[in-house]
Amino acid sequence: MNIVTIEHLTKSYTERLLFDDTAFSVSEGEKIGLIGINGTGKSTLLKIVAGLEEPDQGTVVRSRGLDIRYLPQNPEFDPKDNVIQAVLKDNQGHDHVWDIESQAKSMLNKLGITEQEALMGTLSGGQKKRVALASVLLSTAKLLILDEPTNHLDSSMADWLEEYLKKFKGALLMITHDRYFLDSVTNRIVELDKGKLYSYQTNYQGFLKLKAERLDMAAASERKRQSILRVELEWMQRGARARSTKQKAHIQRYEALRDQKAPETDGRVEMESAASRLGRTTVEISDLSKSYGDKVLLKDFTYIFLKDDRIGIIGPNGAGKSTLMKMIAGWVEPDSGTIEIGQTVRMGYFSQENEEMDETLRVIDYIKNVAEYVKTRDGSISASQMLERFLFPSHMQYTVIGKLSGGERRRLYLLRILMDAPNVILLDEPTNDLDIQTLTILEDYLDSFQGIVVTVSHDRYFLDRVVRRIFAFEGDGEVRQYEGGFTDYQAALEQRLLRGDSDSGIPEGQKDRAGSKAAGKDGDLETDGMKASSEATRRQGRKLKFSYKEQKEWESIEEEISLLEEEIQDLEKKMEGASSNYGKLQELIGEKEQKEAKLEERMDRWMYLNELAEKIAAQ
């Protein structure tokens, strides 16, 4: 049974058409994930369902007496209320008023809000979001509408919220970029694409498959239309006479076919690597310590970043992750220790807060202030062309920044950083406010990026996709190193608990999750279909070590380089013998260029592995 039904939905924002005569509904017990490119109207749809905005055209019908609670991206509170008052204020009609306060305190603790008498005016934006989330979850509403609920949650909080929403009996409509979260919680994905809403009765993984099938069908239909159109065009060009009714009908069919719109393909955020080359000295941290009052964030931390490092930094909110990033970027001074930055290092810092943007600036001027052109592997690209690739078409480039959505500003900020061609990229919570499509292409970009990537993130999928080493803040200034991505990190925690090692530094949420999986059914150590790796456990100490893949590569790379050099020499000899055959000579030149590019890539990789081997030997 539908509890919300929307028909013929049409809505514009300034010059943008967000919804074009489309339909949407929510049924009892459904858990819906809403996805789409930033700035296309996802948050607007949530507000329309919640009754906070009205459509330009169309009807919205809600079932009688439907209780709805809405979590906005940026909640507002009376700054004079304390935390408990703020949570209770919107839950006055709760069925169990007598124990609502104890429930609120328990939930706030799980969300990391321990100072519950603090005034709302003193809290950060992330803390306010978590207080608002607690208020919404404590309600008796039959429909929860959540806009980016996983933003500002660390991984243990996200795990807890995931389990809570899976058990929730009512209906759920949410926007989130967290793909593991979508996969686990939702039973329906709705995609907003070019003003239309497409529904898929599945989770995120199923959606990817069904969307690919939909696009294939649309492409097949377009190929068929073009084929018929060619035949019809030939008939028209032969000089069709319009005297008979039959011929007039034929002409009308041709014109209808001709005027039919082809399916629009998605824009792509194309990010080509524009990094500068790194010298031998990169970023070297020695005995770094930092405290605020009695709270020790970092104690005697030492690490030398390698040229191709992919580091993920995790830990509870407030543990010091962003502070470490700001110290590396030079924004915050350490209490003691040193950070040496190599002369060739060109750092790009994608901070949580963005930078202060002049909202009166036009989009293109904001980018041109960094560079008119950027050099990539494919040559020079203008600021306007780069904006096109970042889903800012020409008509948007002269829009002032003040008219952009939060996600669009975040994407624009990312482009500005990459236009400066950094070779060390610091990403502080990059998945907040970026849509899934942008994240996917960012991940592809980082795969080929020739430099160092360091990211603070709670997004488990992003960490598994991007990083090869985890730095986990485990309290009292300790940062422990784990090899692999987030799933490898969880497997290592399970092994620690299974062996009875100290768990004092493991966050409570992670401890509970790891402990339950380590206990397992019949002692099974499976984690999401992957067995806990003893290799990951053996490598979890502070010392640098080759990963299994790196070790195998190190053993074979010199032979691979020698073989490429021999092949290039052989091609040069063949070129001498083919000097009179222009076609053959061009073919050999092309093959030689490919081999030389491969050799250069392998030599760069050898330098990285050799540097790592030297550092391992020196420990």
Side-chain angles (χ1 to χ4, degrees):
M1 176 183 171
N2 285 354
I3 55 177
V4 178
T5 303
I6 302 177
E7 294 180 341
H8 302 295
L9 173 61
T10 301
K11 178 79 173 178
S12 295
Y13 176 72
T14 61
E15 70 278 4
R16 302 190 209 181
L17 180 62
L18 300 180
F19 303 102
D20 183 13
D21 192 20
T22 192
F24 179 70
S25 65
V26 181
S27 296
E28 290 180 341
E30 277 194 312
K31 291 184 169 63
I32 304 170
L34 177 63
I35 64 175
I37 296 171
N38 284 335
T40 54
K42 299 190 301 295
S43 292
T44 301
L45 179 62
L46 264 54
K47 290 174 184 176
I48 289 172
V49 174
L52 300 174
E53 282 195 24
E54 294 296 324
D56 296 338
Q57 295 177 37
T59 59
V60 182
V61 178
R62 302 174 189 86
S63 62
R64 184 171 297 176
L66 177 64
D67 188 8
I68 299 175
R69 284 296 302 273
Y70 167 65
L71 174 72
Q73 279 194 41
N74 300 299
E76 296 181 0
F77 293 94
D78 184 335
K80 297 177 182 178
D81 284 345
N82 66 29
V83 170
I84 290 294
Q85 288 170 336
V87 171
L88 298 182
K89 183 174 283 187
D90 290 324
N91 288 290
Q92 297 298 327
H94 200 283
D95 291 343
H96 304 290
V97 177
W98 55 273
D99 69 346
I100 183 68
E101 186 169 341
S102 64
Q103 291 179 38
K105 290 179 178 178
S106 174
M107 188 171 289
L108 287 165
N109 282 330
K110 291 184 182 299
L111 292 171
I113 306 295
T114 54
E115 296 181 11
Q116 296 167 5
E117 298 300 321
L119 297 181
M120 294 302 299
T122 67
L123 301 189
S124 68
Q127 289 170 322
K128 289 177 182 177
K129 183 71 176 273
R130 281 178 273 145
V131 171
L133 178 61
S135 177
V136 169
L137 296 181
L138 281 167
S139 73
T140 57
K142 299 300 182 185
L143 171 59
L144 299 183
I145 300 176
L146 311 178
D147 198 342
E148 296 287 9
T150 60
N151 280 5
H152 308 293
L153 302 186
D154 61 37
S155 55
S156 61
M157 294 174 195
D159 283 342
W160 173 82
L161 179 61
E162 180 181 309
E163 293 302 315
Y164 185 95
L165 292 177
K166 283 162 71 173
K167 295 172 184 175
F168 177 63
K169 301 299 183 185
L172 170 68
L173 171 61
M174 67 174 175
I175 298 169
T176 181
H177 59 264
D178 190 323
R179 286 153 284 183
Y180 281 162
F181 196 87
L182 279 171
D183 235 9
S184 178
V185 174
T186 62
N187 53 27
R188 180 181 164 204
I189 298 291
V190 173
E191 182 186 23
L192 175 55
D193 185 19
K194 304 174 188 69
K196 300 292 185 183
L197 292 161
Y198 299 90
S199 181
Y200 304 84
Q201 297 292 335
T202 181
N203 60 6
Y204 181 72
Q205 191 172 4
F207 152 76
L208 292 176
K209 180 181 177 183
L210 292 175
K211 182 182 179 180
E213 291 175 359
R214 175 173 74 82
L215 294 179
D216 286 345
M217 288 173 63
S221 296
E222 175 60 12
R223 287 194 297 270
K224 183 177 179 181
R225 183 179 79 92
Q226 292 292 344
S227 178
I228 296 172
L229 201 53
R230 279 193 297 272
V231 173
E232 294 294 293
L233 184 59
E234 289 173 6
W235 180 82
M236 293 289 291
Q237 289 172 341
R238 286 199 298 269
R241 292 169 298 175
R243 287 197 296 269
S244 72
T245 303
K246 184 175 181 179
Q247 286 168 329
K248 285 181 180 178
H250 199 153
I251 292 170
Q252 287 170 352
R253 283 198 302 273
Y254 160 76
E255 290 175 343
L257 201 64
R258 178 198 62 196
D259 296 338
Q260 182 180 322
K261 284 187 178 180
E264 295 181 51
T265 56
D266 287 337
R268 295 275 295 173
V269 181
E270 299 176 15
M271 302 185 190
E272 295 173 327
S273 176
S276 310
R277 186 173 288 273
L278 271 170
R280 186 170 181 83
T281 302
T282 58
V283 179
E284 300 186 358
I285 298 174
S286 179
D287 298 321
L288 204 67
S289 296
K290 184 68 179 177
S291 300
Y292 284 107
D294 294 332
K295 186 168 185 178
V296 179
L297 301 182
L298 206 62
K299 183 168 61 180
D300 300 328
F301 177 67
T302 297
Y303 187 77
I304 299 173
F305 287 90
L306 304 175
K307 290 180 182 177
D308 197 28
D309 258 344
R310 297 291 187 271
I311 304 293
I313 302 176
I314 66 172
N317 287 338
K321 307 183 297 296
S322 292
T323 302
L324 174 57
M325 296 282 269
K326 288 174 181 176
M327 285 192 286
I328 296 172
W331 290 20
V332 171
E333 288 292 322
D335 295 340
S336 61
T338 61
I339 302 175
E340 183 181 353
I341 307 294
Q343 290 185 349
T344 61
V345 168
R346 193 165 185 166
M347 197 172 293
Y349 180 31
F350 185 63
S351 69
Q352 278 197 59
E353 301 86 2
N354 288 3
E355 60 179 22
E356 287 296 324
M357 290 183 170
D358 182 349
E359 295 192 0
T360 64
L361 267 182
R362 297 180 304 181
V363 167
I364 191 157
D365 294 331
Y366 177 73
I367 295 301
K368 281 185 174 180
N369 284 344
V370 179
E372 294 269 355
Y373 292 88
V374 62
K375 289 184 178 180
T376 73
R377 289 170 296 176
D378 293 343
S380 293
I381 297 177
S382 70
S384 179
Q385 288 172 314
M386 285 296 284
L387 281 164
E388 288 272 359
R389 296 180 179 202
F390 271 64
L391 304 183
F392 291 103
S394 55
H395 71 270
M396 282 188 66
Q397 294 177 14
Y398 292 89
T399 301
V400 295
I401 290 173
K403 290 187 177 181
L404 300 182
S405 71
E408 286 171 323
R409 294 188 194 193
R410 193 85 168 139
R411 193 193 319 140
L412 185 65
Y413 175 48
L414 177 61
L415 171 58
R416 183 182 171 105
I417 288 166
L418 296 181
M419 283 287 286
D420 204 28
N423 48 32
V424 176
I425 296 179
L426 307 179
L427 302 169
D428 196 351
E429 295 291 3
T431 63
N432 285 359
D433 302 318
L434 288 182
D435 57 74
I436 290 174
Q437 185 183 2
T438 305
L439 286 175
T440 300
I441 308 303
L442 173 60
E443 290 157 1
D444 291 342
Y445 169 80
L446 294 177
D447 284 344
S448 60
F449 177 71
Q450 299 294 308
I452 295 168
V453 178
V454 186
T455 181
V456 171
S457 182
H458 65 268
D459 189 315
R460 299 157 294 176
Y461 186 102
F462 184 79
L463 290 169
D464 276 345
R465 178 70 175 76
V466 170
V467 310
R468 297 193 290 266
R469 183 167 293 136
I470 294 283
F471 290 163
F473 276 70
E474 297 192 343
D476 296 325
E478 181 182 4
V479 177
R480 186 183 288 240
Q481 181 179 317
Y482 298 83
E483 296 304 308
F486 188 82
T487 303
D488 299 312
Y489 159 72
Q490 286 189 314
L493 292 191
E494 292 165 30
Q495 288 290 321
R496 281 175 65 184
L497 291 173
L498 197 67
R499 292 196 315 268
D501 291 359
S502 170
D503 62 3
S504 59
I506 303 175
E508 286 300 319
Q510 292 295 344
K511 193 185 300 182
D512 294 343
R513 185 182 180 95
S516 63
K517 287 191 175 183
K521 186 177 180 180
D522 298 326
D524 191 3
L525 295 178
E526 295 250 346
T527 78
D528 297 331
M530 188 187 87
K531 289 192 175 181
S533 166
S534 59
E535 181 69 19
T537 305
R538 288 197 296 273
R539 296 192 312 235
Q540 66 177 291
R542 282 181 174 272
K543 289 188 176 181
L544 285 173
K545 290 186 179 181
F546 276 131
S547 68
Y548 176 78
K549 181 180 177 182
E550 288 169 336
Q551 182 66 50
K552 300 298 287 185
E553 193 177 6
W554 178 236
E555 291 168 0
S556 63
I557 195 167
E558 289 187 3
E559 184 179 345
E560 189 178 349
I561 289 170
S562 297
L563 183 60
L564 283 166
E565 289 172 337
E566 290 173 8
E567 289 174 345
I568 290 169
Q569 289 176 358
D570 186 48
L571 284 167
E572 287 172 345
K573 290 177 182 177
K574 289 180 180 179
M575 286 165 61
E576 291 174 7
S579 57
S580 60
N581 186 336
Y582 179 77
K584 182 64 175 177
L585 183 60
Q586 290 301 110
E587 181 183 330
L588 291 169
I589 289 172
E591 189 176 348
K592 179 172 177 280
E593 288 174 349
Q594 289 178 357
K595 295 289 184 185
E596 286 173 337
K598 179 68 174 176
L599 177 61
E600 184 179 359
E601 183 272 324
R602 290 285 80 195
M603 287 297 295
D604 284 345
R605 185 64 176 164
W606 178 86
M607 289 175 64
Y608 162 74
L609 292 170
N610 183 63
E611 186 180 354
L612 177 56
E614 289 176 355
K615 286 183 169 64
I616 291 170
Q619 292 181 131

